[in-house]
Amino acid sequence: MGAAIRRNRCFSMRNTFTRAVMLTVAMLAVGGIILRSDVDVQSAFLKTAASAREVMSLQQPLGRPESAGWGGRVDNSAGVYQEVAVEEKEKGKDAKPTISSSSRVMTCDYDMNRLRRWQEQFQLEETFEYTKRYVQASRQDIPRKSVTHLQQDFLVDAVKVVDVNKEYHAESCPEPLIAPVTKSPFPATANASDFMFGVSTTYERFNDPRTSPINEWSYWLTDSKGNSNGGKLVLLLVDAQPEELEDAYNRLTAVGIDVDVYRSSSDAIMAVRYLALGPTLYNHPDRSSKKWLVICDDDTFFPSFHGLAERFAEYDYERPMYIGTFSEDVNNIERHGPQAFGGAGVFLSLPMAKIIAENYEKCSSEQKIQESNTGWGPQGDIMLRNCIYQNSEVKLTLLNDLWQLDLMGDPSGFYESGIKPLSLHHYRGGIWHVAHPFQYTKVAHACGEDCTMQRFQTADGFVLSNGYSVAYYPRGIDFDLGQFERTFRAAPEDKGWNLDFRMGPQRPSLHNTGRKIAWELLEATVNPDGTVSQVYVGKHNDSRWTNPDGTPMNNRDGIIEIVWLPDE
Ligand SMILES: *[C@@H]1O[C@H](CO)[C@@H](O)[C@H](O)[C@H]1NC(C)=O
Ligand SMILES: *[C@@H]1O[C@H](CO)[C@@H](O)[C@H](O)[C@H]1NC(C)=O
């Protein structure tokens, strides 16, 4: 392991003055502007005028978007695609600006540049449904709930259909949904200084935009503003060139990650390179300031670092400790054995890592390599377990909030389960599933760490699995939301119960039943004003959202944009 580089706020504002301004605003036919008694009314008014000008300056005559014909009124016995008389939906709808409890401006205009970009980026048809909803986080002294029932409806109006070739009048925003959440800490304040992480990968994977872990690492190793959170990363790049090491170092350092990049040689097989992470971390000069040395994969993601650090504060770091989790798939335990599966993260106390470092030669011998081969090639996780079990009395401490996620197919059942996982893995596709945890966790910057994957069920049969999806259940929620929906598959051989020991028996998938349709998050943005925009996308031809006869539940693509307003 030659060292290469070391540098080393809805209440409505009912006071007369504000109301007068509101009225003016409404007369300007510009809705969706939020004012607050204690904000500078004039500047808010100027903002209104500015956005009005922007809208008016457009070349084409402005129209109102067509109505998709569903929503606003939910008849649970009908399919999703329910005709609602449009005149009825349109009448009595004055553009009435709504007020958010926060100082933030809510806008419900049709920003065609964004809509066009999304249409291209997400390969939508030129006309698609577009719904925008604000959610006000209400931070309270309450425990985290898996599902929070809201009295409000998700849809306050018929779903609108936009055509990217047209321009539309701005509309007034409905009052935001109020979402009670815990007062959980924000990702930016995590302190990872007790931890040092070791990852072995290739420069190719590091550099390929499809597999590059830079964004994900910046979430759990920095304050997301370019500063390290104290966590140290030791990155080993197999057979990398000096300029590749330099490039990796520069790009990680640029986002604020405290990293050392080393070259490792492919002369040692993968399983051995993995085991070698133990001594490499243990021999690192920063060891003395650390409590936990963590071996993980380049697709291991820690969505709730405060939660993780809190949990580790309960363990005795002065004892030799080997902490991790099994695969959720019982077949993999049968195949490979009962060790910590590395993708979920393997946590070693310093005394544990010392034992591994002292026995490294023995533990990496040809014979030990062979012993780690269960017919699937030598396994680093097995070598590590054997090294520990054969040279100490220490046994694995299971931490089942870590997830290896040996899941194939549609991972929604997991991400819509309402749990708060401490690690995530296998989200880059290949034989496994596809997920975007870096995008999912952005909302934590607005509502706190606990609210990622937290569920909010509205009065009209929608469930927002925050950060992951907005699902609509047109026949109602007549199943147990406390159970995982089995949307995914276990790797062959899938006996149907492979995952039960970890997840509990899973409720049947609602794919192709006509009982569920979902829009899934593909992009999220932390805005300069501290709000977080989430873009949930649905495709008319998504093979999952059909009626039992195979007909699509919705014949249009759609975007649901949710904007989270942080509590004050
Ligand atoms: C982070 O944790 C370390 C060690 O537990 C402590 O010394 C340090 O003061 C903490 N840093 C902050 C900014 O709280
Ligand atoms: C869905 O339709 C789009 C065009 O709107 C097409 O590009 C895509 O391949 C279709 N997907 C499936 C699964 O049929």
Side-chain angles (χ1 to χ4, degrees), residues 434-447:
V434 175
H436 312 282
F438 174 62
Q439 304 294 336
Y440 306 160
T441 48
K442 281 186 187 165
V443 74
H445 294 287
C447 52

Side-chain angles (χ1 to χ4, degrees), residues 191-194 229 289 291:
N191 184 350
S193 56
D194 288 346
N229 64 7
S289 67
K291 293 181 179 148

Side-chain angles (χ1 to χ4, degrees), residues 4 207 219 228 350:
N207 192 43
Y219 176 79
S228 168
L350 294 183

Side-chain angles (χ1 to χ4, degrees), residues 320-353:
M321 289 201 80
Y322 165 49
I323 304 174
T325 193
F326 295 151
S327 167
E328 326 43 45
D329 187 341
V330 80
N331 281 351
N332 290 336
I333 304 172
E334 190 177 20
R335 261 173 215 140
H336 301 302
Q339 62 276 342
F341 282 66
V346 184
F347 295 73
L348 306 168
S349 62
L350 294 183
M352 185 78 264

Side-chain angles (χ1 to χ4, degrees), residues 369-386:
I369 294 173
Q370 276 167 25
E371 285 173 18
S372 79
N373 188 341
T374 52
W376 300 76
Q379 302 288 318
D381 292 334
I382 301 179
M383 290 188 77
L384 180 64
R385 179 200 65 199
N386 286 344

Side-chain angles (χ1 to χ4, degrees), residues 5 7-8 206 214 222 226-228 245-261:
I5 302 183
R7 278 174 262 228
N8 330 293
F206 174 83
I214 300 175
T222 76
N227 309 296
S228 168
L245 298 174
E246 184 91 39
D247 179 56
Y249 176 82
N250 290 336
R251 286 160 67 187
L252 290 167
T253 307
V255 297
I257 296 172
D258 178 6
V259 65
D260 290 346
V261 186

Side-chain angles (χ1 to χ4, degrees), residues 45-237:
F45 185 77
L46 289 175
K47 266 182 197 149
T48 307
S51 61
R53 200 157 49 237
E54 217 169 273
V55 173
M56 299 312 176
S57 72
L58 295 164
Q59 302 285 329
Q60 294 182 35
L62 303 178
R64 291 205 181 279
E66 206 187 308
S67 164
W70 73 278
R73 218 170 43 178
V74 174
D75 176 352
N76 286 341
S77 64
V80 157
Y81 196 78
Q82 180 196 355
E83 293 300 332
V84 171
V86 171
E87 308 79 39
E88 198 184 317
K89 301 308 301 181
E90 304 261 311
K91 81 177 173 215
K93 242 219 102 237
D94 305 322
K96 185 176 59 166
T98 325
I99 296 129
S100 129
S101 62
S102 71
S103 54
R104 281 130 189 134
V105 173
M106 296 197 298
T107 47
C108 291
D109 55 358
Y110 294 86
D111 181 340
M112 298 315 293
N113 290 330
R114 289 172 87 210
L115 293 170
R116 283 180 204 116
R117 178 172 69 74
W118 290 336
Q119 184 247 330
E120 268 178 46
Q121 187 177 341
F122 307 130
Q123 300 180 327
L124 306 180
E125 297 189 310
E126 292 193 347
T127 57
F128 55 89
E129 297 176 354
Y130 173 58
T131 304
K132 182 170 180 176
R133 200 78 167 89
Y134 280 86
V135 182
Q136 171 70 61
S138 169
R139 288 163 66 81
Q140 303 176 11
D141 289 316
I142 48 172
R144 184 183 188 277
K145 288 178 87 169
S146 168
V147 197
T148 300
H149 294 259
L150 308 181
Q151 304 305 312
Q152 294 166 278
D153 283 343
F154 186 78
L155 290 183
V156 290
D157 200 357
V159 171
K160 298 292 166 47
V161 177
V162 291
D163 178 333
V164 292
N165 306 304
K166 295 182 180 164
E167 305 284 342
Y168 302 97
H169 282 295
E171 293 182 10
S172 56
C173 296
E175 299 196 349
L177 285 168
I178 310 292
V181 297
T182 68
K183 289 184 172 167
S184 66
F186 297 101
T189 61
N191 184 350
S193 56
D194 288 346
F195 301 82
M196 176 153 58
F197 301 87
V199 178
S200 171
T201 187
T202 62
Y203 179 75
E204 287 66 33
R205 276 181 66 87
F206 174 83
N207 192 43
D208 186 329
R210 288 167 304 185
T211 52
S212 181
I214 300 175
N215 285 336
E216 285 76 10
W217 288 346
S218 74
Y219 176 79
W220 52 270
L221 284 166
T222 76
D223 65 358
S224 303
K225 296 179 202 104
N227 309 296
S228 168
N229 64 7
K232 177 89 187 185
L233 177 64
V234 172
L235 176 62
L236 271 62
L237 296 176

Side-chain angles (χ1 to χ4, degrees), residues 310-437:
E310 241 169 66
R311 191 66 60 88
F312 275 85
E314 292 168 15
Y315 294 123
D316 186 354
Y317 64 92
E318 291 178 305
R319 293 183 42 78
M321 289 201 80
Y322 165 49
I323 304 174
T325 193
F326 295 151
S327 167
E328 326 43 45
D329 187 341
V330 80
N331 281 351
N332 290 336
I333 304 172
E334 190 177 20
R335 261 173 215 140
H336 301 302
Q339 62 276 342
F341 282 66
V346 184
F347 295 73
L348 306 168
S349 62
L350 294 183
M352 185 78 264
K354 180 165 190 273
I355 292 168
I356 297 160
E358 285 170 355
N359 293 280
Y360 177 70
E361 291 304 328
K362 221 175 12 173
C363 293
S364 58
S365 69
E366 199 53 49
Q367 191 199 337
K368 295 299 163 194
I369 294 173
Q370 276 167 25
E371 285 173 18
S372 79
N373 188 341
T374 52
W376 300 76
Q379 302 288 318
D381 292 334
I382 301 179
M383 290 188 77
L384 180 64
R385 179 200 65 199
N386 286 344
C387 188
I388 294 169
Y389 286 12
Q390 289 165 10
N391 296 285
S392 76
E393 290 187 340
V394 179
K395 296 294 172 197
L396 174 65
T397 295
L398 279 177
L399 174 51
N400 285 342
D401 290 328
L402 300 172
W403 291 87
Q404 162 80 3
L405 291 185
D406 284 338
L407 305 181
M408 303 172 113
D410 175 7
S412 334
F414 173 80
Y415 283 100
E416 294 173 347
S417 66
I419 66 166
K420 177 182 171 179
L422 293 180
S423 68
L424 301 168
H425 179 235
H426 272 162
Y427 48 81
R428 294 202 194 281
I431 67 163
W432 305 112
H433 59 276
V434 175
H436 312 282

